[in-house]
Amino acid sequence: MNELIIHPVGALRGSVPVSGSKNAALPILIATLLCDGPSVIGNLPGIRDVTLTLRILARLGCTVEQMDDTTYRIDPTHASAPISAEPLTERLRASAYFLGAFLGRFGRGRIGRIGGCDFGGRPIDQHIKVLSALGATVLVTEDGVEVCSEELKGTSVSFDTVSVGATVNGILSAVRASGETVLYGAAAEPHIDDLIGYLNRCGANIRRAGQNEIRIRGVRRMRGCSYSVIPDMIEAGTYLIAGAATQGAVRVRGVNPAHIAPLTRKLKEMGADVDEEEQAVSVFAPGRLYGTRIETQPYPGFPTDLQPQMTALLCTCIGTGTVRENIWRHRFRYTEELRRMGANISVREDTATVVGGVLTGAEMTVPDLRAGAALLIAACAARGDSHLYDVGWIERGYEDFVGKMGMLGASVTPI
Ligand code: EPZ
C-alpha cells in the first residue's frame, strides 16, 4: 500500500481493539536469542517491524513458527553469530538491540546500518557507553556496527541521557554477564518493564530499584518461556486523539489506562470527557477542544511518539497551543505537510506554536511513522478529501490501521 484517499465523514465513533506494543515486542523478540530453549511470544502486533525482526531471527538460524495470528514460537537453539552484516537491520531502528543480544549469546556479532524514522540524527553513544562498560569492543563503520567481548562483566553505568534503546542494550548485554550491573538514569517506559518481565520469566534476575535505576544480577542460563506482550499505548493514544480531533467518541479496548495517563490528563484539560475502565479508555469530545501546552518527556512524561498526533489535534482546537519537543528536536518535519491543509503552525527551535482553525483536504507525503498517523487524523478532521502518499511508514507501526479507522467510521481507501 502506498497511497490513501481520506474522505472526511465527521465525528469518528466506535470502539477499536488495541494490538500488542511495537516497542515492547521488538526487544522481547530479539531477547529470545539469549535463551537456551524456545519461547512462545503472544500478542505480537501484525506490523512490518515485527515481520522484519522475525525474518532476521530466522536468518540467524532460529526456528520461527507461527502458532496463531499474534503468537510465534522462536527456538534459538541453532542460531549462530552473523558472518556478515545483516542488510535487513537497515530497515529497523530496533536492530540496535541485536548488539546486546549478540554479545550475551555469542560474545560477538555485527549489524548493518541502523534504520528507523529520521529525526535528524539518532546517536548511539549511550549504547556504546553501556556495552563498552561491560567489557565489549564496539566498532562503528560506514556499513554498520560490530561488537565483540572475551567476557562480559557486571558494572555500574550512569547514562548521560535517558535512552530507551541504550537501556535495552544494557539489559540484554548484562543479563548473562558475570556479577551485578546497575544502570542509573535508565528509561522507565512500560516496554522496558515488559522486557524485564519476559527475561525474569526466563530465569533472569533483574529488578527496578527506583524509577530510573535497574539492577541486573547476571545468570548463567536462561530457559525460554511463554509470554504475552503488553498493549500498545501509542496506538491506543492515536485512536483517542483521532476521536478528539473529529469531535467524536472513541473507546480503545485492551489497554492499560495508567500507560496513557499523560495523554488522558491533557485531553481532559482540553475539554474532553474521558472514562477509564480496567482495560479500556473512552474519550468523548462534545465540540472543538481548547488549545493547550504539551511538552514531551521520557516516561512518565508526555510521550514523544504522540507528539505529532497531538499537534494535528491542536490544529482543530479553539485558541493557541504549543508543543515543545524535548526528545527529538527535529521531529517537526510533518508540520510542512499540515500547512498544506491550511494549518497555522510555526516552528522555532524545539517548539511548535499552533493556532487552531479549520483544515482543508490536501495532498500530503508521510515523512515517518507517527507523522503518518498525525496526517491521517488531520485529514479525517478536515473539510474535503485528502491524498496521503508514502503510507508504508504507517504500516511499520500500526496494525491494520485502515481497518481500525474503518471501525470508527472513517472513510480511508487504500490505492
Ligand atoms: C525509542 O527509540 C522508540 N523506538 C522511539 O519510537 C521513541 O520515540 C523513543 O524510544 C523515545 O521514546 C523503539 O522503541 C524501537 P532513545 P530510541 O534512545 O530507543 C538521545 C516510534 O515512533 N540518545 O530513547 O532510538 C536521542 O537522540 C519510535 O515508535 C542519545 O543522545 O530512542 C534522543 O534525544 C520513533 N544517545 C533521546 O536520547 C544515544 O545513544 C531518546 O532516544 C541514544 C539516544
Side-chain angles (χ1 to χ4, degrees), residues 22-24 26-27 49 93-94 97 117 119 121-128 161-166 187 189 191 234 304-305 326-329 331 368-370 396:
K22 166 176 89 73
N23 291 344
L26 303 178
D49 277 11
R93 178 67 187 175
Y97 306 157
C117 298
F119 304 136
R122 292 180 73 172
I124 59 162
D125 57 300
Q126 298 304 302
H127 297 245
I128 296 172
T161 184
V162 177
S163 160
V164 170
E189 269 69 3
H191 27 284
I234 303 299
T304 173
D305 292 345
N326 289 310
I327 315 289
W328 306 112
R329 288 169 69 88
R331 196 177 200 169
D368 63 68
L369 166 62
R370 307 301 173 188
R396 274 195 39 214

